[in-house]
Amino acid sequence: MAVRHYHHHYHFSYLTSKKRHFSSVLIVIAVITLIILTVLHVLSPQQGINLNQISWEMVVFATFNTLFRLLISYFLSLVLSIPIALLITKSERTERFLLPIADIIQSVPVLAFFPVVVVFFIKFNAQESAVIFILFMAMLWNLVFSLIGGLKTVPRDITDAATIFHVKGFRKLRYITIPAVFPYIITGSLLAWAQGWSLLIVAEALHSYIPGGTAANDPLGLGSLLVNSFYNGKNAVFLAALIVMIVVIALLNFFVWQKLLHVAERFKFD
Amino acid sequence: MIELALKDVSKVYKQEKVTALADVSLEINQGEFFCLVGPSGCGKSTILRIIAGLEKPSSGTVQSPAEVSMVFQSGALLPWMNVEENVSFVCKAKGLSSFKAEEQTTRYLRMVDLEGFRYHYPRELSGGQRQRVGIARALAVEPKVLLLDEPFSALDPLTTDELHTYLLKIWKETGKTILMVSHLLEEAVLLSDRIGIMKKSEIEQIVSVELKRPRKDDSKEFLNTLEIVKNILEH
């Protein structure tokens, strides 16, 4: 009986211990990364960019700042995209009504909002939030539409089984819906991050939207470093920022997305 | 005692303007093995879905116990859970404690001889094994009525034979009421007490299969019964 009890505590879970370790390792890594990035972000010089005093340290800070902004925007859009996608696909009626709305919002270029957003956030002296908001808007719709696609491909037998076995509410979301769309979350995230990286160059170069703005108005980041160094003929800095950006994207691709795409295979229906 | 009763049940899909069921009445006894046969689109799956509560009838009354469970054609197992988790998950959803859920899981996995596969994932199993997990899962919530929606139609004949044996063994051991939908007449004659023959959204006739068990599909009586069912279906 004692053995059996141990067995029951050790093995008996919705996730096998191996899988549970995997997901907790992921969560721990994500949390630690976020803490480190936040600390570095706080430590980072906030006075804007002075192109005459660029050091390697600045490039490192710029990298962490940028990663911090991307990560925050990504988590915000991930957390929000799930309820939005669930709401849109809730029933045929909600879909008929909400999908076109989402489609319109999504098809308006994010940058069209940018001047208004910048003016709004600058008023509260919140450049950082302006950047994050733009990145968030750009990332959100990739995730939402990927999720909608995923939710619509869950086999009917699976949703029927959930109904028959009275699996509902949070239990259904946690153990059926989210795993079922997991591969779509990953592909949507890939697109979202690509979108984020490409918008960075505009989002961090806030000063062009501020009347009389200069590089000193820009929050330090890889994107603002790229724009300003190029504009001011600091080719070495430009090159350094570009190389760092490429290396970071490649590393993320290799160590995060490739691995997650591999994991996603296990969540696919035959 | 009557376990399941349908009275004048109709199902009309308004948007598609399709009548799936037209005034179907049916009574199934407790512990009975009942089979619905008929061509595809005759409404046999709709009856199952209405009893399972997946669809509401357009009119008529349905009397069925709350404890109804189902085995799906695809198995409908969750690919991200192993065999044990797939079964215990529904027990927990029913409100059982972890300990009780594990007991149930072990009991029914043993019944379908898959105890040794509890840590395997569905993709590591054969089609027949997956379907056996589906059966174990359906039984683990202790239903009064077990519904089977063409559970063996995606399997090869040898595996199907094997699963027929399992199903009959389980039926005998548990005494559940079983309602199965099939498009194979041989299967219906081999397994069931009575066969409901469906045509065009209606139950054309109900045939009692008065053969002793275990049935042999090459015996004269078997072939005679099969012929009777075939004739009703074709005319």
Side-chain angles (χ1 to χ4, degrees), chain A residues 1 4 7-8 11-16 19 156-158 160-161 164-165 167 171 175-176 179-180 266-270, chain B residues 49 52 54 69-70 72 74 76-77 79-82 84-85 88-90 92-93 98-99 102-103 119 121 123 130 137:
Chain A
M1 200 61 197
R4 188 170 173 180
H7 179 243
H8 147 75
H11 275 300
F12 195 75
S13 64
Y14 292 119
L15 298 165
T16 57
K19 259 200 286 172
R156 190 170 83 158
D157 272 5
I158 296 287
D160 283 351
I164 286 176
F165 294 112
V167 182
R171 193 189 291 269
Y175 295 105
I176 297 183
R266 288 193 292 168
F267 290 80
K268 285 182 180 164
F269 296 99
D270 300 329
Chain B
R49 294 179 65 79
L54 294 170
S69 186
M70 191 150 159
F72 296 86
S74 69
L77 301 179
W80 47 88
M81 289 186 186
N82 66 24
E84 183 192 72
E85 289 158 352
S88 64
F89 176 61
V90 298
K92 287 184 176 177
S98 294
F99 189 77
E102 191 209 7
E103 268 187 0
Y119 302 123
Y121 282 84
R123 64 177 175 282
R130 271 184 235 178
R137 178 179 66 179

Short mmCIF file of all heavy atoms in Angstrom, two decimals, chain A residues 1 4 7-8 11-16 19 156-158 160-161 164-165 167 171 175-176 179-180 266-270, chain B residues 49 52 54 69-70 72 74 76-77 79-82 84-85 88-90 92-93 98-99 102-103 119 121 123 130 137:
data_model
loop_
_atom_site.label_atom_id
_atom_site.label_comp_id
_atom_site.label_asym_id
_atom_site.label_seq_id
_atom_site.Cartn_x
_atom_site.Cartn_y
_atom_site.Cartn_z
N MET A 1 0.84 -1.20 0.00
CA MET A 1 0.00 0.00 0.00
C MET A 1 0.87 1.25 0.00
O MET A 1 0.59 2.23 -0.69
CB MET A 1 -0.89 -0.03 1.25
CG MET A 1 -2.11 0.88 1.10
SD MET A 1 -3.16 0.39 -0.28
CE MET A 1 -4.11 1.87 -0.48
N ARG A 4 2.31 1.80 -3.33
CA ARG A 4 1.27 2.25 -4.21
C ARG A 4 0.96 3.74 -4.00
O ARG A 4 0.69 4.47 -4.94
CB ARG A 4 0.03 1.44 -3.92
CG ARG A 4 -1.01 1.73 -4.93
CD ARG A 4 -2.12 0.79 -4.83
NE ARG A 4 -3.08 1.32 -5.76
CZ ARG A 4 -4.23 0.78 -5.99
NH1 ARG A 4 -4.56 -0.32 -5.38
NH2 ARG A 4 -5.04 1.32 -6.84
N HIS A 7 3.62 5.76 -5.57
CA HIS A 7 3.38 5.68 -7.00
C HIS A 7 2.29 6.66 -7.41
O HIS A 7 2.41 7.43 -8.34
CB HIS A 7 2.97 4.24 -7.29
CG HIS A 7 2.67 4.00 -8.73
ND1 HIS A 7 1.43 3.64 -9.16
CD2 HIS A 7 3.46 4.06 -9.82
CE1 HIS A 7 1.47 3.49 -10.47
NE2 HIS A 7 2.66 3.74 -10.90
N HIS A 8 1.27 6.67 -6.61
CA HIS A 8 0.12 7.52 -6.89
C HIS A 8 0.51 9.00 -6.82
O HIS A 8 0.11 9.80 -7.65
CB HIS A 8 -0.96 7.13 -5.90
CG HIS A 8 -1.86 8.21 -5.45
ND1 HIS A 8 -2.84 8.72 -6.24
CD2 HIS A 8 -1.91 8.89 -4.28
CE1 HIS A 8 -3.48 9.66 -5.58
NE2 HIS A 8 -2.94 9.78 -4.41
N HIS A 11 3.51 9.57 -9.92
CA HIS A 11 3.17 9.46 -11.33
C HIS A 11 1.81 10.02 -11.69
O HIS A 11 1.56 10.35 -12.82
CB HIS A 11 3.18 8.00 -11.77
CG HIS A 11 4.53 7.53 -12.14
ND1 HIS A 11 5.24 8.10 -13.16
CD2 HIS A 11 5.29 6.53 -11.65
CE1 HIS A 11 6.40 7.48 -13.26
NE2 HIS A 11 6.46 6.54 -12.35
N PHE A 12 0.97 10.05 -10.70
CA PHE A 12 -0.40 10.34 -11.09
C PHE A 12 -0.66 11.82 -11.22
O PHE A 12 -0.89 12.52 -10.25
CB PHE A 12 -1.38 9.71 -10.12
CG PHE A 12 -2.74 9.69 -10.69
CD1 PHE A 12 -3.05 8.78 -11.68
CD2 PHE A 12 -3.68 10.61 -10.32
CE1 PHE A 12 -4.28 8.78 -12.24
CE2 PHE A 12 -4.91 10.62 -10.89
CZ PHE A 12 -5.22 9.69 -11.86
N SER A 13 -0.57 12.28 -12.42
CA SER A 13 -0.87 13.69 -12.69
C SER A 13 -1.30 13.78 -14.13
O SER A 13 -1.14 12.84 -14.89
CB SER A 13 0.37 14.54 -12.47
OG SER A 13 1.35 14.18 -13.40
N TYR A 14 -1.82 14.92 -14.49
CA TYR A 14 -2.22 15.10 -15.88
C TYR A 14 -1.00 15.12 -16.79
O TYR A 14 -1.04 14.74 -17.93
CB TYR A 14 -2.99 16.40 -16.05
CG TYR A 14 -4.32 16.34 -15.38
CD1 TYR A 14 -4.62 17.21 -14.35
CD2 TYR A 14 -5.26 15.39 -15.74
CE1 TYR A 14 -5.82 17.16 -13.72
CE2 TYR A 14 -6.47 15.33 -15.10
CZ TYR A 14 -6.75 16.21 -14.10
OH TYR A 14 -7.94 16.15 -13.48
N LEU A 15 0.08 15.64 -16.22
CA LEU A 15 1.31 15.66 -16.99
C LEU A 15 2.23 14.64 -16.37
O LEU A 15 2.29 14.52 -15.16
CB LEU A 15 1.96 17.05 -16.87
CG LEU A 15 1.14 18.20 -17.41
CD1 LEU A 15 1.70 19.51 -16.91
CD2 LEU A 15 1.16 18.19 -18.91
N THR A 16 2.95 13.90 -17.18
CA THR A 16 3.93 13.01 -16.58
C THR A 16 5.02 13.89 -16.00
O THR A 16 5.17 15.05 -16.38
CB THR A 16 4.56 12.08 -17.63
OG1 THR A 16 5.12 12.89 -18.63
CG2 THR A 16 3.55 11.14 -18.22
N LYS A 19 7.19 15.75 -18.51
CA LYS A 19 6.58 16.89 -19.17
C LYS A 19 6.43 18.04 -18.19
O LYS A 19 6.60 19.19 -18.53
CB LYS A 19 5.20 16.51 -19.71
CG LYS A 19 5.23 16.25 -21.20
CD LYS A 19 3.85 16.35 -21.79
CE LYS A 19 3.02 15.15 -21.42
NZ LYS A 19 1.63 15.30 -21.80
N ARG A 156 -13.97 17.56 -34.25
CA ARG A 156 -15.26 17.57 -33.59
C ARG A 156 -15.37 16.46 -32.54
O ARG A 156 -15.98 16.66 -31.49
CB ARG A 156 -16.40 17.42 -34.61
CG ARG A 156 -17.75 17.67 -33.96
CD ARG A 156 -18.86 17.78 -34.97
NE ARG A 156 -19.34 16.47 -35.35
CZ ARG A 156 -20.54 16.25 -35.88
NH1 ARG A 156 -21.36 17.25 -36.10
NH2 ARG A 156 -20.92 15.05 -36.21
N ASP A 157 -14.77 15.31 -32.81
CA ASP A 157 -14.79 14.22 -31.84
C ASP A 157 -14.22 14.66 -30.49
O ASP A 157 -14.69 14.24 -29.44
CB ASP A 157 -13.97 13.02 -32.35
CG ASP A 157 -14.84 12.09 -33.19
OD1 ASP A 157 -16.01 12.43 -33.45
OD2 ASP A 157 -14.33 11.02 -33.58
N ILE A 158 -13.19 15.50 -30.56
CA ILE A 158 -12.54 15.95 -29.32
C ILE A 158 -13.47 16.88 -28.54
O ILE A 158 -13.65 16.72 -27.33
CB ILE A 158 -11.20 16.68 -29.64
CG1 ILE A 158 -10.19 15.70 -30.28
CG2 ILE A 158 -10.62 17.34 -28.40
CD1 ILE A 158 -9.60 14.69 -29.34
N ASP A 160 -16.70 17.00 -28.83
CA ASP A 160 -17.82 16.17 -28.39
C ASP A 160 -17.45 15.38 -27.14
O ASP A 160 -18.23 15.28 -26.18
CB ASP A 160 -18.22 15.18 -29.49
CG ASP A 160 -19.03 15.85 -30.60
OD1 ASP A 160 -19.42 17.02 -30.41
OD2 ASP A 160 -19.27 15.21 -31.63
N ALA A 161 -16.25 14.81 -27.15
CA ALA A 161 -15.80 14.03 -25.99
C ALA A 161 -15.76 14.92 -24.75
O ALA A 161 -16.18 14.51 -23.67
CB ALA A 161 -14.43 13.42 -26.26
N ILE A 164 -19.31 15.25 -23.53
CA ILE A 164 -19.85 14.02 -22.94
C ILE A 164 -19.22 13.72 -21.59
O ILE A 164 -19.89 13.29 -20.66
CB ILE A 164 -19.65 12.84 -23.92
CG1 ILE A 164 -20.65 12.99 -25.06
CG2 ILE A 164 -19.80 11.50 -23.22
CD1 ILE A 164 -20.52 11.97 -26.13
N PHE A 165 -17.93 13.97 -21.48
CA PHE A 165 -17.26 13.68 -20.21
C PHE A 165 -17.28 14.87 -19.25
O PHE A 165 -16.52 14.90 -18.27
CB PHE A 165 -15.83 13.20 -20.47
CG PHE A 165 -15.78 11.87 -21.18
CD1 PHE A 165 -15.32 11.77 -22.49
CD2 PHE A 165 -16.24 10.72 -20.56
CE1 PHE A 165 -15.29 10.54 -23.15
CE2 PHE A 165 -16.22 9.49 -21.21
CZ PHE A 165 -15.75 9.40 -22.51
N VAL A 167 -16.18 17.85 -19.32
CA VAL A 167 -14.97 18.65 -19.13
C VAL A 167 -15.31 20.07 -19.56
O VAL A 167 -15.62 20.30 -20.73
CB VAL A 167 -13.80 18.12 -19.98
CG1 VAL A 167 -12.54 18.93 -19.72
CG2 VAL A 167 -13.56 16.65 -19.68
N ARG A 171 -10.83 23.73 -16.60
CA ARG A 171 -10.25 22.42 -16.88
C ARG A 171 -10.17 22.17 -18.39
O ARG A 171 -9.17 21.69 -18.91
CB ARG A 171 -11.10 21.34 -16.22
CG ARG A 171 -10.44 19.97 -16.18
CD ARG A 171 -11.42 18.93 -15.71
NE ARG A 171 -11.79 19.08 -14.33
CZ ARG A 171 -11.15 18.49 -13.31
NH1 ARG A 171 -10.14 17.71 -13.56
NH2 ARG A 171 -11.55 18.68 -12.08
N TYR A 175 -6.56 21.84 -20.15
CA TYR A 175 -6.14 20.50 -20.57
C TYR A 175 -6.58 20.11 -21.98
O TYR A 175 -6.12 19.13 -22.52
CB TYR A 175 -6.63 19.45 -19.57
CG TYR A 175 -5.98 19.62 -18.22
CD1 TYR A 175 -6.67 20.16 -17.14
CD2 TYR A 175 -4.64 19.28 -18.04
CE1 TYR A 175 -6.06 20.35 -15.92
CE2 TYR A 175 -4.01 19.47 -16.83
CZ TYR A 175 -4.72 19.99 -15.77
OH TYR A 175 -4.10 20.19 -14.57
N ILE A 176 -7.50 20.86 -22.56
CA ILE A 176 -7.91 20.52 -23.93
C ILE A 176 -7.64 21.67 -24.90
O ILE A 176 -6.88 21.51 -25.85
CB ILE A 176 -9.41 20.09 -23.98
CG1 ILE A 176 -9.58 18.81 -23.14
CG2 ILE A 176 -9.84 19.84 -25.43
CD1 ILE A 176 -10.95 18.23 -23.15
N PRO A 179 -3.69 23.08 -25.06
CA PRO A 179 -2.82 22.11 -25.74
C PRO A 179 -3.18 21.92 -27.21
O PRO A 179 -2.31 21.79 -28.06
CB PRO A 179 -3.03 20.81 -24.95
CG PRO A 179 -3.54 21.23 -23.64
CD PRO A 179 -4.31 22.50 -23.86
N ALA A 180 -4.50 21.92 -27.50
CA ALA A 180 -4.93 21.69 -28.88
C ALA A 180 -4.45 22.79 -29.82
O ALA A 180 -4.17 22.54 -30.99
CB ALA A 180 -6.46 21.56 -28.95
N ARG A 266 4.14 17.13 -30.72
CA ARG A 266 3.47 16.19 -29.83
C ARG A 266 2.02 16.59 -29.56
O ARG A 266 1.24 15.83 -29.00
CB ARG A 266 4.21 16.10 -28.49
CG ARG A 266 5.53 15.36 -28.62
CD ARG A 266 6.05 15.04 -27.27
NE ARG A 266 6.46 16.26 -26.57
CZ ARG A 266 6.74 16.29 -25.29
NH1 ARG A 266 6.64 15.22 -24.57
NH2 ARG A 266 7.14 17.41 -24.73
N PHE A 267 1.68 17.82 -29.91
CA PHE A 267 0.34 18.31 -29.62
C PHE A 267 -0.57 18.27 -30.85
O PHE A 267 -1.68 18.76 -30.81
CB PHE A 267 0.42 19.73 -29.06
CG PHE A 267 1.01 19.79 -27.69
CD1 PHE A 267 2.37 19.75 -27.51
CD2 PHE A 267 0.18 19.85 -26.58
CE1 PHE A 267 2.93 19.78 -26.23
CE2 PHE A 267 0.72 19.88 -25.30
CZ PHE A 267 2.09 19.84 -25.13
N LYS A 268 -0.05 17.68 -31.93
CA LYS A 268 -0.85 17.67 -33.15
C LYS A 268 -1.75 16.44 -33.21
O LYS A 268 -1.36 15.36 -32.79
CB LYS A 268 0.07 17.71 -34.37
CG LYS A 268 0.65 19.10 -34.56
CD LYS A 268 1.52 19.17 -35.80
CE LYS A 268 2.07 20.59 -35.94
NZ LYS A 268 3.19 20.66 -36.85
N PHE A 269 -2.94 16.64 -33.75
CA PHE A 269 -3.85 15.51 -33.97
C PHE A 269 -3.42 14.79 -35.22
O PHE A 269 -2.86 15.38 -36.13
CB PHE A 269 -5.28 16.02 -34.12
CG PHE A 269 -5.82 16.69 -32.88
CD1 PHE A 269 -5.83 18.06 -32.77
CD2 PHE A 269 -6.28 15.93 -31.82
CE1 PHE A 269 -6.29 18.68 -31.62
CE2 PHE A 269 -6.75 16.53 -30.67
CZ PHE A 269 -6.76 17.91 -30.57
N ASP A 270 -3.70 13.50 -35.26
CA ASP A 270 -3.30 12.70 -36.44
C ASP A 270 -4.07 13.14 -37.68
O ASP A 270 -5.25 13.35 -37.61
CB ASP A 270 -3.56 11.22 -36.19
CG ASP A 270 -2.76 10.74 -34.99
OD1 ASP A 270 -1.67 11.30 -34.77
OD2 ASP A 270 -3.24 9.83 -34.29
N ARG B 49 -26.23 10.99 -31.09
CA ARG B 49 -25.84 12.33 -30.63
C ARG B 49 -26.92 12.97 -29.77
O ARG B 49 -26.63 13.72 -28.85
CB ARG B 49 -25.52 13.22 -31.84
CG ARG B 49 -24.28 12.76 -32.61
CD ARG B 49 -24.00 13.66 -33.80
NE ARG B 49 -23.66 15.01 -33.40
CZ ARG B 49 -22.46 15.38 -32.96
NH1 ARG B 49 -21.51 14.49 -32.88
NH2 ARG B 49 -22.24 16.62 -32.60
N ALA B 52 -26.76 11.31 -26.41
CA ALA B 52 -25.56 11.76 -25.69
C ALA B 52 -25.69 13.21 -25.23
O ALA B 52 -24.85 13.68 -24.48
CB ALA B 52 -24.34 11.61 -26.59
N LEU B 54 -25.50 15.75 -27.24
CA LEU B 54 -24.69 16.62 -28.10
C LEU B 54 -25.58 17.46 -29.01
O LEU B 54 -25.16 18.49 -29.52
CB LEU B 54 -23.73 15.79 -28.96
CG LEU B 54 -22.64 15.04 -28.20
CD1 LEU B 54 -21.92 14.07 -29.10
CD2 LEU B 54 -21.66 16.04 -27.60
N SER B 69 -22.12 7.50 -21.74
CA SER B 69 -20.74 7.65 -22.16
C SER B 69 -20.60 7.19 -23.61
O SER B 69 -21.47 6.50 -24.12
CB SER B 69 -19.86 6.83 -21.23
OG SER B 69 -18.53 7.06 -21.51
N MET B 70 -19.53 7.57 -24.24
CA MET B 70 -19.45 7.30 -25.67
C MET B 70 -18.04 6.89 -26.13
O MET B 70 -17.04 7.38 -25.61
CB MET B 70 -19.88 8.57 -26.42
CG MET B 70 -20.10 8.37 -27.89
SD MET B 70 -21.37 9.56 -28.41
CE MET B 70 -21.08 9.65 -30.13
N PHE B 72 -15.79 6.87 -29.60
CA PHE B 72 -15.82 7.56 -30.88
C PHE B 72 -15.10 6.78 -31.97
O PHE B 72 -14.18 6.02 -31.70
CB PHE B 72 -15.17 8.94 -30.75
CG PHE B 72 -15.90 9.85 -29.81
CD1 PHE B 72 -15.66 9.82 -28.45
CD2 PHE B 72 -16.86 10.73 -30.30
CE1 PHE B 72 -16.35 10.64 -27.59
CE2 PHE B 72 -17.54 11.56 -29.44
CZ PHE B 72 -17.29 11.52 -28.08
N SER B 74 -13.00 7.90 -34.10
CA SER B 74 -11.57 8.25 -34.17
C SER B 74 -10.83 7.91 -32.87
O SER B 74 -9.64 8.09 -32.79
CB SER B 74 -11.44 9.75 -34.42
OG SER B 74 -11.86 10.47 -33.27
N ALA B 76 -10.81 9.66 -30.36
CA ALA B 76 -10.87 10.96 -29.68
C ALA B 76 -10.01 11.01 -28.43
O ALA B 76 -10.39 11.58 -27.41
CB ALA B 76 -12.33 11.35 -29.35
N LEU B 77 -8.84 10.41 -28.48
CA LEU B 77 -7.90 10.51 -27.36
C LEU B 77 -7.10 11.80 -27.51
O LEU B 77 -6.90 12.28 -28.62
CB LEU B 77 -6.94 9.31 -27.36
CG LEU B 77 -7.58 7.93 -27.27
CD1 LEU B 77 -6.50 6.86 -27.30
CD2 LEU B 77 -8.42 7.80 -26.01
N PRO B 79 -3.76 13.65 -27.74
CA PRO B 79 -2.40 13.23 -28.09
C PRO B 79 -1.35 13.64 -27.07
O PRO B 79 -0.28 13.05 -27.02
CB PRO B 79 -2.12 13.92 -29.43
CG PRO B 79 -3.32 14.69 -29.78
CD PRO B 79 -4.34 14.59 -28.70
N TRP B 80 -1.65 14.66 -26.27
CA TRP B 80 -0.66 15.15 -25.31
C TRP B 80 -0.78 14.47 -23.95
O TRP B 80 -0.07 14.82 -23.03
CB TRP B 80 -0.75 16.66 -25.14
CG TRP B 80 -2.15 17.16 -24.92
CD1 TRP B 80 -2.80 17.29 -23.73
CD2 TRP B 80 -3.07 17.58 -25.93
NE1 TRP B 80 -4.06 17.75 -23.94
CE2 TRP B 80 -4.26 17.94 -25.27
CE3 TRP B 80 -3.01 17.67 -27.33
CZ2 TRP B 80 -5.38 18.40 -25.97
CZ3 TRP B 80 -4.12 18.12 -28.01
CH2 TRP B 80 -5.28 18.49 -27.33
N MET B 81 -1.69 13.54 -23.83
CA MET B 81 -1.78 12.79 -22.57
C MET B 81 -1.48 11.33 -22.85
O MET B 81 -1.84 10.81 -23.91
CB MET B 81 -3.20 12.89 -22.01
CG MET B 81 -3.56 14.26 -21.48
SD MET B 81 -5.18 14.17 -20.70
CE MET B 81 -5.47 15.89 -20.34
N ASN B 82 -0.83 10.67 -21.90
CA ASN B 82 -0.60 9.25 -22.09
C ASN B 82 -1.88 8.48 -21.78
O ASN B 82 -2.90 9.07 -21.42
CB ASN B 82 0.62 8.78 -21.28
CG ASN B 82 0.41 8.88 -19.79
OD1 ASN B 82 -0.73 8.86 -19.31
ND2 ASN B 82 1.49 8.99 -19.04
N GLU B 84 -2.85 6.49 -19.39
CA GLU B 84 -3.41 6.64 -18.05
C GLU B 84 -4.08 8.00 -17.86
O GLU B 84 -5.19 8.09 -17.34
CB GLU B 84 -2.29 6.48 -17.02
CG GLU B 84 -2.81 6.56 -15.60
CD GLU B 84 -1.68 6.70 -14.60
OE1 GLU B 84 -1.08 7.78 -14.52
OE2 GLU B 84 -1.41 5.72 -13.91
N GLU B 85 -3.40 9.05 -18.34
CA GLU B 85 -3.94 10.40 -18.17
C GLU B 85 -5.24 10.58 -18.96
O GLU B 85 -6.17 11.23 -18.49
CB GLU B 85 -2.92 11.43 -18.64
CG GLU B 85 -1.73 11.55 -17.70
CD GLU B 85 -0.50 12.14 -18.37
OE1 GLU B 85 -0.52 12.34 -19.60
OE2 GLU B 85 0.49 12.38 -17.68
N SER B 88 -7.80 8.78 -16.69
CA SER B 88 -8.04 9.36 -15.37
C SER B 88 -8.58 10.78 -15.46
O SER B 88 -9.31 11.24 -14.59
CB SER B 88 -6.76 9.34 -14.55
OG SER B 88 -5.79 10.16 -15.15
N PHE B 89 -8.22 11.45 -16.55
CA PHE B 89 -8.67 12.83 -16.78
C PHE B 89 -10.20 12.93 -16.71
O PHE B 89 -10.73 13.83 -16.04
CB PHE B 89 -8.15 13.29 -18.14
CG PHE B 89 -8.61 14.65 -18.54
CD1 PHE B 89 -8.30 15.76 -17.78
CD2 PHE B 89 -9.35 14.83 -19.71
CE1 PHE B 89 -8.72 17.02 -18.16
CE2 PHE B 89 -9.77 16.08 -20.09
CZ PHE B 89 -9.46 17.19 -19.32
N VAL B 90 -10.89 12.02 -17.38
CA VAL B 90 -12.36 12.11 -17.39
C VAL B 90 -12.94 11.72 -16.03
O VAL B 90 -14.00 12.20 -15.63
CB VAL B 90 -13.00 11.26 -18.52
CG1 VAL B 90 -12.55 11.77 -19.88
CG2 VAL B 90 -12.72 9.79 -18.37
N LYS B 92 -11.50 12.48 -13.19
CA LYS B 92 -11.34 13.68 -12.37
C LYS B 92 -12.37 14.74 -12.76
O LYS B 92 -12.87 15.45 -11.90
CB LYS B 92 -9.93 14.24 -12.53
CG LYS B 92 -8.90 13.40 -11.83
CD LYS B 92 -7.54 14.06 -11.93
CE LYS B 92 -6.50 13.29 -11.16
NZ LYS B 92 -5.17 13.89 -11.32
N ALA B 93 -12.64 14.83 -14.06
CA ALA B 93 -13.65 15.81 -14.50
C ALA B 93 -15.00 15.46 -13.90
O ALA B 93 -15.84 16.33 -13.66
CB ALA B 93 -13.74 15.81 -16.03
N SER B 98 -8.03 11.97 -6.92
CA SER B 98 -6.92 11.38 -7.68
C SER B 98 -6.81 9.89 -7.41
O SER B 98 -6.61 9.08 -8.31
CB SER B 98 -5.61 12.04 -7.28
OG SER B 98 -5.62 13.37 -7.67
N PHE B 99 -6.95 9.54 -6.13
CA PHE B 99 -6.77 8.15 -5.75
C PHE B 99 -7.84 7.27 -6.38
O PHE B 99 -7.56 6.24 -6.98
CB PHE B 99 -6.79 8.03 -4.23
CG PHE B 99 -6.39 6.66 -3.76
CD1 PHE B 99 -5.06 6.28 -3.75
CD2 PHE B 99 -7.36 5.75 -3.36
CE1 PHE B 99 -4.69 5.01 -3.33
CE2 PHE B 99 -6.98 4.48 -2.94
CZ PHE B 99 -5.64 4.10 -2.93
N GLU B 102 -7.42 6.91 -10.08
CA GLU B 102 -6.37 5.96 -10.45
C GLU B 102 -6.89 4.53 -10.35
O GLU B 102 -6.60 3.69 -11.19
CB GLU B 102 -5.15 6.14 -9.54
CG GLU B 102 -3.95 5.36 -10.05
CD GLU B 102 -3.01 4.91 -8.94
OE1 GLU B 102 -3.36 5.08 -7.76
OE2 GLU B 102 -1.95 4.37 -9.28
N GLU B 103 -7.66 4.30 -9.31
CA GLU B 103 -8.24 2.95 -9.16
C GLU B 103 -9.11 2.58 -10.35
O GLU B 103 -8.99 1.49 -10.91
CB GLU B 103 -9.11 2.93 -7.90
CG GLU B 103 -8.37 2.49 -6.67
CD GLU B 103 -9.31 2.33 -5.47
OE1 GLU B 103 -10.54 2.56 -5.62
OE2 GLU B 103 -8.81 1.98 -4.41
N TYR B 119 1.80 4.23 -19.66
CA TYR B 119 2.64 5.41 -19.90
C TYR B 119 2.94 5.64 -21.38
O TYR B 119 3.79 6.45 -21.72
CB TYR B 119 3.92 5.33 -19.07
CG TYR B 119 3.61 5.23 -17.60
CD1 TYR B 119 4.10 4.16 -16.83
CD2 TYR B 119 2.80 6.17 -16.98
CE1 TYR B 119 3.77 4.06 -15.48
CE2 TYR B 119 2.47 6.08 -15.64
CZ TYR B 119 2.96 5.02 -14.89
OH TYR B 119 2.63 4.93 -13.57
N TYR B 121 1.94 6.92 -25.19
CA TYR B 121 1.10 7.97 -25.77
C TYR B 121 0.28 7.38 -26.92
O TYR B 121 0.70 6.41 -27.54
CB TYR B 121 1.98 9.12 -26.25
CG TYR B 121 2.43 9.97 -25.10
CD1 TYR B 121 3.54 9.63 -24.35
CD2 TYR B 121 1.68 11.09 -24.72
CE1 TYR B 121 3.92 10.38 -23.24
CE2 TYR B 121 2.06 11.84 -23.62
CZ TYR B 121 3.17 11.49 -22.89
OH TYR B 121 3.51 12.22 -21.79
N ARG B 123 -0.08 8.05 -29.94
CA ARG B 123 0.60 7.84 -31.22
C ARG B 123 1.50 6.62 -31.20
O ARG B 123 1.93 6.15 -32.25
CB ARG B 123 1.40 9.08 -31.62
CG ARG B 123 2.52 9.40 -30.68
CD ARG B 123 3.36 10.58 -31.12
NE ARG B 123 4.34 10.89 -30.09
CZ ARG B 123 4.09 11.54 -28.97
NH1 ARG B 123 2.88 12.01 -28.77
NH2 ARG B 123 5.01 11.76 -28.06
N ARG B 130 -5.72 1.91 -29.43
CA ARG B 130 -6.30 3.23 -29.16
C ARG B 130 -7.79 3.12 -28.89
O ARG B 130 -8.32 3.75 -27.99
CB ARG B 130 -6.12 4.15 -30.37
CG ARG B 130 -4.83 4.90 -30.34
CD ARG B 130 -4.76 5.85 -31.49
NE ARG B 130 -3.54 5.58 -32.24
CZ ARG B 130 -3.19 6.22 -33.34
NH1 ARG B 130 -3.97 7.15 -33.85
NH2 ARG B 130 -2.07 5.93 -33.94
N ARG B 137 -11.83 4.38 -21.30
CA ARG B 137 -12.18 5.73 -20.85
C ARG B 137 -13.70 5.88 -20.70
O ARG B 137 -14.19 6.45 -19.72
CB ARG B 137 -11.66 6.77 -21.86
CG ARG B 137 -12.03 8.19 -21.47
CD ARG B 137 -11.49 9.21 -22.43
NE ARG B 137 -12.11 9.07 -23.75
CZ ARG B 137 -11.84 9.86 -24.78
NH1 ARG B 137 -10.96 10.83 -24.64
NH2 ARG B 137 -12.43 9.68 -25.94
#
